[in-house]
Amino acid sequence: MNIRRTDEDVVMTATPFYATILGSPRIGPNRELKRAVEKYWAGTVGRDELESVAAELRRDTWEALVAAGLDSVPVNTFSYYDQVLDTAAMVGALPPRVADVSDELDRYFAAARGNDDIAPLEMTKWFDTNYHYIVPELAPDTHFALNPAKILGELEEARAQGIPTRPVVIGPITFLALSKAVHSAGPPIDRLADLTVVYGELLALLAERGVEWVQIDEPVLVTDFVDTAAELAERTYAQLGRLTNRPAILVATYFGELSDALPALARTPVEAIGVDLVAGGVSAVAAVPELADKLLVAGVVDGRNIWRTDLESALGTLTTLRGSARHVAVSTSCSTLHVPYTLDAEPSIDSALRSWLAFGFEKVTEVVALARGLKSGREAIDGEIAASNAAIASRRADPRLNNDDVRERISAITASGTERGPADRRRAAQQARLNLPVLPTTTIGSYPQTSAIRLARADLRAGKIDAAEYKRRMQAEIAAVIRLQEEIGLDVLVHGEPERNDMVQYFAEQLDGFFATQNGWVQSYGSRCVRPPILYGDVSRPEPMTVEWITYAQSLTDKPVKGMLTGPVTILAWSFVRDDQPLAQTAAQVALAIREETIDLQKAGIAIIQVDEPALRELLPLRSKDKDAYLRWAVDAFRLSTSGVDDSTQIHTHLCYSEFGEVIGAIADLDADVTSLEAARSHMEVLGDLNAAGFANSVGPGVYDIHSPRVPAVGEMASSLREALNSVPAERLWVNPDCGLKTRRTDEVTASLRNLVAAANEVR
Ligand code: GLN
Ligand code: ZN
């Protein structure tokens, strides 16, 4: 049904809906899509089989959503790789370098992953989540043109199945804000008028097919990524809203509060606005009079964390909002892409913990219950509310959530301060103990995860070998890595991390307060999935987690072996974190556990300890006004975890991602003795920034890009080092690759590290 209106008389004629979600997972409940796509890439299954797996997943998803009671179902949220890349394909903005790939799907995959001749598009984090999207490239000659095959195909498929469909696309503002200008094109956002025209064409096509509602996602409106978000939103949606030949429009926003973009959107003729009421407050929404003739899609069920919704309080929020909008629909705060499919796949969760949780499917049930409660009154969902209240009470009362000893110890330590001794005194004490050459060489921690390592882990899981045999095999790996490093001539060695499946999960499995799921997979990017642990209670460390492996490695060599730990911010960033206390408090508890580990490592004679914080930048809030508070607690947590050791113990940290700009001051504040950074691709610019931030400790800007199989030449790395010496004096410069080596092959690593040592020798 199309919308008709005159300028004065804005009437909503589309039928409102009452229960929906903004999107859903697509990898398959048992990662069916991952497997099919990877087999297709490997050439072991054909196109037909891949497409039939995909179609079956879509069909099952839609069917389940309707059966659960949603009256509007998102379609076109399926993706073979990524929804931003899908949008680039839809608006004709794939890079010209893939144009020669004749097949459409293979062209798409070439843009995502590259091939022997084509460099892939970059990938980066989707807002403050752990999902990575593909960054579209816009050149001066990028010409937008609508390619609606995917969206129309999925639409017809869903309709044939009788689904109440609501096609979903990423909006033009968000698409441009997340794109990157190449070949000296101007800022992508300057192309908004052009691109809006293409969206207008899409809306007309959808209207011709009788589509009643379309969802246009504009999460960027909750950020400060574009300066004039409210203005852009008003202009764009006034323009699209004025079109007469279009479906009703839901502009969906998520991950934060809209601020002045909300009244701006509400002033446009769009019929519905989606707001995230988990990340943002209800009062800011209730106070917008322009919402009075809209459908408000109220995201009261958390789409990105795994906690069960407090139905009583959510229903209260919805009831408050009823007075502010013409209609209120219940929804998740964002797509449930970011949570696992269902709790049913977790047989080993204890019943208390299970009762506190809601994964993707359980969230749909919550949405439906709330919509029923809103329509028919609280009594209609008495049973559901009672169960939700019981779960909340059980969670509050659970002794695992409150470990007084942990809380008291943190207060005592923070009260007495988390400063280490002065940096120059530390440097002198460490140099006396370690006696390292100038320009010391080291690596970031992991060595290649060989097939023997993977086999040992699989055998242990399958019960084919016992823990003792597993330990023996890991020790053999460690011994081999130590031998290799000695032979190459590195100065500071590592044990290689063979025993770690994942740098967060490894610690989560050993800490109290965490639960590791069996099947809680979520898409990280493309076909890659991760299983974030659930941090549900007060965190404590029952026993040492790494000391045995590190001391074993140290027993094999006279060179110092660096202990290897993951930092508190990174552990939080890659977990589902409890929502019943400030993140800062939870971070401090994880930090205390890491601190205890550093103290035990020191006691065991380890002289160098690295605490990795690759995710420091990831958790950076989306609004500038929140950034300082975040960086303060992030730095505090790091310092809590690293200040328990003597001056003579050298603390290293490692950070990835070449864009350090906004966190550069925080990196200096971490006050690690040595900081290794990804810099191989950003050409040492970061060193000048660090100097400007007052950083005066040692630094190891990566001189070898481990993200590529290429073996860097001695001369190349030597010239990087000479360049670095322009900004950092030799006594403060370290020589290392830019990240861990676990994704590389042993032969590549060996050749590259030999060259790295040769480069250091040459420059010395
Ligand atoms: N120590 C880790 C490793 O070497 C660091 C990984 C990372 O930076 N993401 O693998
Ligand atoms: Zn790294």
Side-chain angles (χ1 to χ4, degrees), residues 14 17 91 164 181 237 261 269 272 367 382 389 510-511 634 656 763:
F17 53 85
V91 301
Y237 288 95
V367 164
D382 262 348
N389 285 343
Q510 301 186 69
L511 289 168
C656 314
V763 179

Side-chain angles (χ1 to χ4, degrees), residues 76 146-159 202 205-206 209 211:
N76 197 41
L146 184 63
N147 171 12
K150 174 179 184 291
I151 184 168
L152 295 183
E154 288 178 29
L155 176 68
E156 293 316 325
E157 230 176 76
R159 286 185 148 177
L202 173 68
L205 268 186
L206 295 177
R209 281 169 173 70
V211 168

